[in-house]
Amino acid sequence: MASDDIAQLAAALSKTHVGDGELSFKGLGLKLDDAEAAGELVGKIEQYQGLRALRLEGNTVGVEAAEAIAKALESKDQLQRCYWSDMFTGRLRSEIPTALMSLSGALMSAGARLTELDLSDNAFGPDGVKGIEQLLKSPSCHTLRELRLNNCGMGIGGGKILAEALIESHKKSTSLGSPLRLKVFIAGRNRLENEGASALAKAFQLMGSLEEIHMPQNGINYAGVTALASAIRQNPELQVLNFNDNSFTKRGTLAMAQALRHLRNVQVINFGDCLVRSEGAIALAAVLREGLPILKELNLSFGEITGGAALVVAQAVMDKPHMEKVNLNGNCLGEDGCEVLREVMDNMDKGEMLASLSEDEGEPDDEEDEDCENGDSDECYETDECEEIGEENGITGGGSPEKPESQTEILTFLSSPSAEKLCHMKMNLQQEVNASEPNKAAEIFLKIGSLYSEDTESRSAVFEMIDGVLRKVLSASALQSSCFFTALLVLMGVLKGEGKVKKVSLVPGQLLCLEHAVQQEYFTQDHASLLHTLLSRGGDALKSCSSATERLNSALEKKWHKYH
């Protein structure tokens, strides 16, 4: 090594931080190509008694240097925390796994029991995960509490290897009487996609100990999000969820909303830039109203959320005593929508809670949504997105399975409703309504409502059916009720839905049926508040039924004032 290089290295090492069991070479910019270059650093490690934390961030370590450092670590059985992010800059990708294997082997030989491992910002790809695979499976990581692998380029393959290693570690540690209880998992910017995320979800579900999950920017869409949602339910101590910049869409958001209903300790939710959209935002608002008691931060920015849905979210966070910040920036509120949202928050003395709206995208166009892109859009599927929500809560259609002839009658009615058919199949229709299938329930409601007549007998029959349908749908959870209302308003053209939706041709009778429903005991104040908020931002959708709309709004306001 040249004398100048030695002098520079000595100067850098003089800045080494020592104390509290921690030896830090953080940010020194050392270029350690071989054992000679690493000599002084190795000496400091060897001389440090009771080493519990080693920081190597911000340096670059070659294979031979890693082997020398590893040799020094073989005697450090008290080492618990390895901060080794950004330490392979400029190295060949093929070198990194070999270096990691050397370091991992040393930790295992020493009998170290790690609590923190940070290898973030090392672009080692799937092969790099193989470099730490055996370490993760070993007793040295049975005590691991924090695993940070942000921006490592793991890809799907690396995600699967990592998941299998964590699963095996949990199984082995459990057999020894002390299960792996990982608390913090960070793996943003790794191109995990659906397969990698789904594999990791299995590990999360098995461990059940996570308090923080950070997986932003991983190209995960609703299939992977749904798998993660199932796993999240099994981690009751979760406090932080960060899935920023993945593609939830409606399906993924509803799955995540259902999972959140089971959690009581969540403090931070970051679903920004996740295409939550209006229907998803309203579903999350329903969960906020009935749960998440200690939530502090909610990020739903850049999610294509419209003004009405944003207001529903704002109203849902008002009563959260620990709430500090709600971010709805970059959505589709429009200038007027932003102003209304600010006014609502200010009127409740919560103005400081609302993040800036400076990057709002403006109100959406009335054009149909674009075609499916890469098969990821929900419009590519015909199933009802809320079906799983109902099934897992044991909510069924309310009767035995329909006979084929009954199904035929129902389909005939839905395609061509008439008062005569309605009278003949009253029971079949009510049995067909299922809180877990909001789209079908909304369609049935509108078909029945289209038969409204001022004739007393006909009107009574229609109202009786409407009461039967809504009493069943609205007695379900707040989440299911909100799914019904969003489905109804999307069909009515009041709310912008996801994918291509064939809107109904509204007639006054449908709104008058809603007016009747609002006055019944099954229609709660929360239902009235949600419907009134969304209708107030419905634009010209109800213009053709202005008189009936006024009557409905009047009924909603009376219902609201009754409880205030």
Side-chain angles (χ1 to χ4, degrees), residues 243-262:
F243 291 112
N244 190 284
D245 199 7
N246 290 290
S247 298
F248 280 30
T249 63
K250 177 183 172 182
R251 284 181 149 209
T253 309
L254 291 177
M256 198 62 73
Q258 177 58 14
L260 288 170
R261 292 183 64 220
H262 300 268

Side-chain angles (χ1 to χ4, degrees), residues 449-466:
S450 69
L451 302 176
Y452 175 91
S453 163
E454 289 299 335
D455 174 73
T456 303
E457 186 175 346
S458 298
R459 184 174 58 196
S460 296
V462 168
F463 282 168
E464 184 180 357
M465 282 296 296
I466 289 294

Side-chain angles (χ1 to χ4, degrees), residues 112-228:
R113 294 294 183 265
L114 299 185
T115 58
E116 295 181 46
L117 178 60
D118 186 356
L119 288 165
S120 299
D121 300 317
N122 290 308
F124 49 51
D127 290 339
V129 185
K130 292 178 183 177
I132 59 170
E133 182 179 7
Q134 295 308 313
L135 173 64
L136 292 172
K137 293 178 180 179
S138 75
S140 289
C141 281
H142 290 177
T143 50
L144 199 61
R145 296 293 178 264
E146 299 185 16
L147 179 59
R148 303 170 189 269
L149 296 168
N150 202 58
N151 190 31
C152 289
M154 289 189 289
I156 293 172
K160 289 181 175 180
I161 296 168
L162 175 61
E164 286 302 318
L166 291 173
I167 289 171
E168 185 168 337
S169 181
H170 185 270
K171 289 179 179 178
K172 286 182 176 179
S173 59
T174 300
S175 69
L176 295 172
S178 184
L180 169 65
R181 292 189 56 79
L182 191 67
K183 293 184 177 182
V184 177
F185 180 84
I186 300 177
R189 300 182 66 186
N190 270 292
R191 304 192 307 277
L192 294 170
E193 301 183 15
N194 287 340
E195 290 184 62
S198 297
L200 285 165
K202 293 177 183 177
F204 297 166
Q205 187 158 339
L206 186 64
M207 291 185 291
S209 56
L210 287 166
E211 295 178 5
E212 296 186 24
I213 300 176
H214 301 261
M215 295 175 67
Q217 289 184 286
N218 269 298
I220 308 169
N221 65 28
Y222 83 89
V225 172
T226 300
L228 288 167

Side-chain angles (χ1 to χ4, degrees), residues 228-274:
L228 288 167
S230 296
I232 282 168
R233 288 186 56 189
Q234 306 305 318
N235 287 264
E237 300 304 316
L238 268 171
Q239 298 174 23
V240 179
L241 282 173
N242 178 6
F243 291 112
N244 190 284
D245 199 7
N246 290 290
S247 298
F248 280 30
T249 63
K250 177 183 172 182
R251 284 181 149 209
T253 309
L254 291 177
M256 198 62 73
Q258 177 58 14
L260 288 170
R261 292 183 64 220
H262 300 268
L263 303 177
R264 306 288 295 174
N265 296 303
V266 177
Q267 298 179 34
V268 178
I269 294 175
N270 185 346
F271 295 164
D273 206 6
C274 283

Side-chain angles (χ1 to χ4, degrees), residues 382-453:
E382 296 179 357
T383 54
D384 197 309
E385 290 88 345
C386 279
E387 186 172 355
E388 291 182 6
I389 294 176
E391 288 176 353
E392 71 174 30
N393 285 285
I395 299 171
T396 65
S400 58
E402 294 296 329
K403 298 177 181 179
E405 57 268 26
S406 299
Q407 289 285 357
T408 302
E409 286 182 356
I410 291 166
L411 291 172
T412 301
F413 172 79
L414 292 177
S415 63
S416 179
S418 70
E420 183 180 359
K421 293 175 187 173
L422 181 64
C423 291
H424 281 303
M425 56 182 304
K426 174 181 172 182
M427 288 304 297
N428 285 343
L429 264 181
Q430 289 187 348
Q431 287 180 337
E432 183 70 9
V433 172
N434 189 332
S436 69
E437 299 179 305
N439 289 346
K440 182 184 284 187
E443 184 182 3
I444 289 174
F445 173 89
L446 290 171
K447 294 292 185 182
I448 297 171
S450 69
L451 302 176
Y452 175 91
S453 163

